[in-house]
Amino acid sequence: MPEAQFLPKKYSNQFPEGSVTWKSPSNIALVKYWGKFEHQLPCNASVSFTLSNCHTTTKLSYNIKSTEGFEFEVYLDGERETGFEPKIIQFFERIEAYMPFLKNYAFRIETSNSFPHSSGIASSASGMSALALCLMSVEKELLGEQISETEFKQKASFLARLGSGSACRSVEGPLIVWGEHPQIEGSNDLFGTKYPYDIHPNFSNYQDTILLVDKGEKQVSSTAGHGLMRDHPYAEDRFGTANLNLKKLVNIFKSGDLKSFIELVESEALQLHGMMMTSVPYYILMKPNTLEIINRIWQFRKENGSHLCFTLDAGANVHVLYPENESSIVVPFIKSELAKFCKNGSFIEDRVGLGASQV
Ligand code: DP6
């Protein structure tokens, strides 16, 4: 079992208490992860830009205990939040074999997001990766100096994946691959790895402005959506196309061909939503304003020869992606023509980032 590499060595230290804090970013997939099997393994390889401004900061405090079972409390922005507990219990159950100290401590998890909770931005990627990194720091203390930087990050990503698949792509940046792919060396299903080949300067400091179209609870969660891929009539085609798109991206990243980049990224976004619309049962997460924005982006691109494009995650919000050197024309366009389709005119200006950091 390849997972066995993540079983810890014998702990040489013991600490009665302590605390650690990590800040971890969100990420936006260019080739989407949609469909999983067994223990959070992806049905196709995906690749994402790690973001910079959208992040979660988590402080994990721990106190030794002698009682049995998991013990923890979660606080969001200083307030007790019991709504997160079921997801964290499930996470602890999934990772317990790899983190055998979990039942020895009572944990206090204090978390806050840089983006508003109601923004509709998924906090599971940044949240699960921040928590996984905190747990890794505790384990590192227990192990003494027996773990390298690479092992630390790989295991953090491996654990984060067991919390939420896309979270494994938030530990590092700027471009992270998750899922075994024949053309990408080192890629694997267990954890995210840095994209290993040349990336043209066109993609450095790429901008992502997130248009907050709908802040409501999603009708269908991502986890349920992944589940619907199991009996989906187009599943196998979709997984094949995603892997082919990732292969094409290798050349695009190298050549800096923005036109091909745009076509591929927008097609991926619409395929993701196409899968939702053709699931049994079917559903739609885009809103009328999502489509308004997409049409305006296409119009603007046609008229200005700009290279902005859109992508979507599993919701109604639109990520507007563009090269840094087009900011001076794209930002005014977003403010004057797109912001009016957002809830309360709100959007978040973000860009590609380098991954998580300890605070
Ligand atoms: C559409 O990682 O949120 O954002 O593994 O069930 O927690 P779980 O799902 P999640 O799915 C994210 C799907 C996506 C595409 C992507 O990020 O690749």
Side-chain angles (χ1 to χ4, degrees), residues 14 17 22 37 42-43 63 82-83 126 148 176 185 192 197-198 212 268 270 306:
Q14 214 200 16
E17 60 178 30
W22 276 87
F37 66 101
C43 293
N63 273 285
T82 52
S126 51
S148 72
I176 301 296
E185 232 180 295
Y197 307 122
D198 288 350
L212 305 176
E268 271 290 319
L270 294 179
S306 161

Side-chain angles (χ1 to χ4, degrees), residues 27-29 31-34 36 40 46-48 87 122 124-125 161 163-167 169 178 222-224 226 272 276 312-314:
N27 68 73
I28 181 69
V31 171
K32 310 290 181 182
Y33 146 59
W34 200 241
K36 59 178 165 181
Q40 296 277 100
S46 59
V47 65
S48 52
K87 188 119 196 179
S124 65
R161 186 199 97 233
S164 177
S166 55
R169 300 188 312 238
W178 168 43
S222 285
T223 302
H226 285 289
L272 168 69
M276 297 172 192
L312 307 166
D313 54 20

Side-chain angles (χ1 to χ4, degrees), residues 44 142 204:
N44 61 263
L142 298 171
S204 52

Side-chain angles (χ1 to χ4, degrees), residues 116-291:
H117 183 53
S118 59
S119 62
I121 296 182
S123 56
S124 65
S126 51
M128 282 298 173
S129 87
L131 181 55
L133 284 155
C134 287
L135 291 170
M136 278 310 298
S137 287
V138 179
E139 177 159 90
K140 192 176 169 190
E141 292 288 317
L142 298 171
L143 282 169
E145 288 309 312
Q146 306 175 62
I147 182 164
S148 72
E149 174 89 8
T150 306
E151 286 172 313
F152 183 96
K153 288 198 169 145
Q154 286 184 352
K155 183 164 176 182
S157 174
F158 168 82
L159 298 174
R161 186 199 97 233
L162 291 167
S164 177
S166 55
C168 77
R169 300 188 312 238
S170 275
V171 172
E172 294 183 277
L175 201 53
I176 301 296
V177 177
W178 168 43
E180 190 176 342
H181 192 284
Q183 262 80 31
I184 300 186
E185 232 180 295
S187 63
N188 73 92
D189 286 353
L190 296 184
F191 53 87
T193 51
K194 275 193 188 199
Y195 178 77
Y197 307 122
D198 288 350
I199 307 172
H200 192 278
N202 279 353
F203 298 107
S204 52
N205 206 22
Y206 224 67
Q207 306 288 300
D208 178 7
T209 301
I210 307 158
L211 306 179
L212 305 176
V213 173
D214 189 64
K215 305 179 177 183
E217 248 324 273
K218 279 188 265 184
Q219 306 140 262
V220 181
S221 71
S222 285
T223 302
H226 285 289
L228 294 176
M229 287 303 281
R230 228 167 283 135
D231 297 314
H232 197 293
Y234 309 136
E236 285 314 311
D237 278 349
R238 163 61 201 152
F239 304 144
T241 306
N243 285 327
L244 185 64
N245 278 343
L246 188 44
K247 181 181 169 189
K248 288 183 184 164
L249 266 181
V250 173
N251 288 329
I252 293 172
F253 285 138
K254 191 172 175 189
S255 65
D257 177 354
L258 290 175
K259 189 168 171 288
S260 302
F261 177 77
I262 289 167
E263 277 168 18
L264 192 149
V265 166
E266 291 189 344
S267 166
E268 271 290 319
L270 294 179
Q271 274 188 38
L272 168 69
H273 284 257
M275 289 298 114
M276 297 172 192
M277 290 189 251
T278 47
S279 296
V280 187
Y282 49 80
Y283 61 105
I284 301 179
L285 295 184
M286 290 187 283
K287 297 284 179 196
N289 282 349
T290 310
L291 297 181

